[in-house]
Amino acid sequence: MPLIVENLHKAYGDHEVVRGVSFTLQPGECFALLGPNGAGKTTTLRCVLGHTEPSAGRIELCGLPVPERAREARTRVGVVPQNDSLDPDFTVTENLLVFARYFGIPADVAKARVPELLAFAGLEAKADAKVPTLSGGMKRRLTMARALVANPDLLIMDEPTTGLDPQARHLIWDRLKGLIAQGKTVLLTTHFMDEAERLAHRIAILDRGQIIAIGTPRDVIAAHIEPQVVEVFGDWNGHAGGAAAWAETHAAALSSRFEVSGETAFCYVQDADPLLAHLAGQGGLRYLHRPANLEDVFLKLTGREMRDE
C-alpha cells in the first residue's frame, strides 16, 4: 500500500490542528485532499513525509513506518511542493541532474533519463535555459519532472496549478492524467474543485483537522447535495430587499435549500421546473441552471466565509 494514515493527531500546545485523520491510498490511485486554509492539509502532508512528528496515530509510507524510517521512505516518493524550489543559477538540465544526486542516482543513469524527463515536461527546447527565463507553467512542469527523477512509487503534489493561467493548468492536468494512466499513485492537494473532479479517483474534504467527507467525487456529491442548482442574479431593483428578501419569499418555497452570497441566490433543488417557471416571469432577474458539483459540496460543508489561516 503506498500510504496508510490511521487516526493521525497533531497538536501544538493546546491547539490540535489534526484530529483523528485516517485514509489510505491504493496503488495507481489519484487521491485529492481538499480543505480551506487552516484545515490541516499542510500539517498532514508534513507528518506523512516525516517533516513533522505526529502527536498520535500511525503512518506507513511506501511500506515503511513514519517517522521512524521517514528518510528511507522519502527515497521512494516524489514531491511537488506548493512553491517551486528550483535553483535559479542552473539550467533546466542541470536542475534535473543535481536533484538526481540527492537520490544517489549515478551520473550516467541520470543523464540518460534527462531526455525522457524533458519530453514529459515539454521542455526539450529549454534544456539549456536558465530557470528565471521560464514561464510559471514551465517551472511547474520542470518541478514535476524533477519529482520523477528517481521513478517514485508515490507522487505528492501540493497545489500544483495555483497561480497558473488556464492554458498552463490544462497542460499540467494532461501531464498528471498521463502519470495516472501509467499507474503512478498520486496524493494531490488543491483549492480547485474542478481539478479534483477531473483527476481524482477519490477525494477527502478536511476541515478543522477532521475529514468530513470521503469517497469518489460523484458519490460525495450525491451524498451531500441536491442534484441541481439554480443561481439567481441580475437586477434586484424591482424586488424590495434584494436577493435575500427574494430568497426568503420564493427560494424557500421552491427549493430544498438556498443560500445567499452577495447579490446571488443559490437554490438547491431536486426538481428545478417550478423554480424556473417562476423565474420566467421575473423581469430583470437572470439565472444559471446546472448540475451540482464538488464546489457546492465543499461550500456547504465548510462554509462560504473567508479563512485567513
Side-chain angles (χ1 to χ4, degrees), residues 45 48-49 61 77-81 154-158 185-187:
L45 290 187
V48 162
L49 289 168
L61 179 61
V77 178
V79 179
V80 177
L154 171 64
L155 190 62
I156 295 180
M157 309 192 69
D158 191 6
T185 305
V186 177
L187 175 58

Side-chain angles (χ1 to χ4, degrees), residues 35-36 205-208 212 297-305 307:
I205 299 177
L206 188 68
D207 193 28
R208 306 188 192 281
I212 56 176
V297 176
F298 185 86
L299 291 171
K300 177 185 178 183
L301 297 182
T302 66
R304 292 182 178 273
E305 70 276 6
R307 304 279 183 92

Side-chain angles (χ1 to χ4, degrees), residues 48-51 61 64-75:
V48 162
L49 289 168
H51 297 316
L61 179 61
L64 299 173
V66 173
E68 294 84 359
R69 299 178 66 183
R71 183 181 294 273
E72 184 180 351
R74 286 198 299 268
T75 65

Side-chain angles (χ1 to χ4, degrees), residues 39-267:
K41 302 188 303 298
T42 298
T43 301
T44 298
L45 290 187
R46 288 187 59 82
C47 289
V48 162
L49 289 168
H51 297 316
T52 295
E53 186 169 351
S55 303
R58 183 174 83 93
I59 300 171
E60 190 175 288
L61 179 61
C62 296
L64 299 173
V66 173
E68 294 84 359
R69 299 178 66 183
R71 183 181 294 273
E72 184 180 351
R74 286 198 299 268
T75 65
R76 298 162 63 180
V77 178
V79 179
V80 177
Q82 185 174 341
N83 298 310
D84 291 321
S85 56
L86 301 167
D87 193 315
D89 296 323
F90 291 158
T91 66
V92 167
T93 296
E94 288 167 344
N95 265 276
L96 297 173
L97 293 175
V98 169
F99 199 70
R101 295 179 193 169
Y102 299 140
F103 292 90
I105 299 172
D108 58 336
V109 175
K111 190 173 181 179
R113 285 212 68 196
V114 165
E116 175 189 344
L117 294 169
L118 291 176
F120 166 81
L123 294 174
E124 299 98 320
K126 297 289 185 178
D128 298 319
K130 291 289 186 70
V131 167
T133 69
L134 304 180
S135 68
M138 291 176 181
K139 290 177 183 177
R140 291 310 275 168
R141 296 193 327 259
L142 177 56
T143 301
M144 286 177 63
R146 189 185 66 173
L148 296 170
V149 158
N151 193 24
D153 297 328
L154 171 64
L155 190 62
I156 295 180
M157 309 192 69
D158 191 6
E159 299 185 21
T161 63
T162 295
L164 299 184
D165 61 32
Q167 291 85 351
R169 284 183 69 205
H170 280 270
L171 197 54
I172 295 292
W173 288 352
D174 286 342
R175 296 298 187 267
L176 265 173
K177 288 175 183 176
L179 290 172
I180 295 165
Q182 293 169 20
K184 288 291 184 187
T185 305
V186 177
L187 175 58
L188 170 73
T189 73
T190 179
H191 284 299
F192 298 113
M193 299 300 111
D194 58 336
E195 187 164 276
E197 282 196 66
R198 285 172 180 264
L199 299 174
H201 298 97
R202 290 187 302 133
I203 63 103
I205 299 177
L206 188 68
D207 193 28
R208 306 188 192 281
Q210 295 181 304
I211 289 179
I212 56 176
I214 191 168
T216 69
R218 180 173 296 180
D219 287 346
V220 169
I221 292 169
H224 292 279
I225 204 83
E226 293 78 6
Q228 300 179 65
V229 184
V230 180
E231 300 180 22
V232 184
F233 51 93
D235 182 6
W236 295 103
N237 290 333
H239 302 269
W246 176 88
E248 289 290 346
T249 302
H250 301 290
L254 298 171
S255 308
S256 301
R257 184 176 60 87
F258 71 88
E259 298 174 1
V260 176
S261 179
E263 292 301 304
T264 301
F266 295 83
C267 306

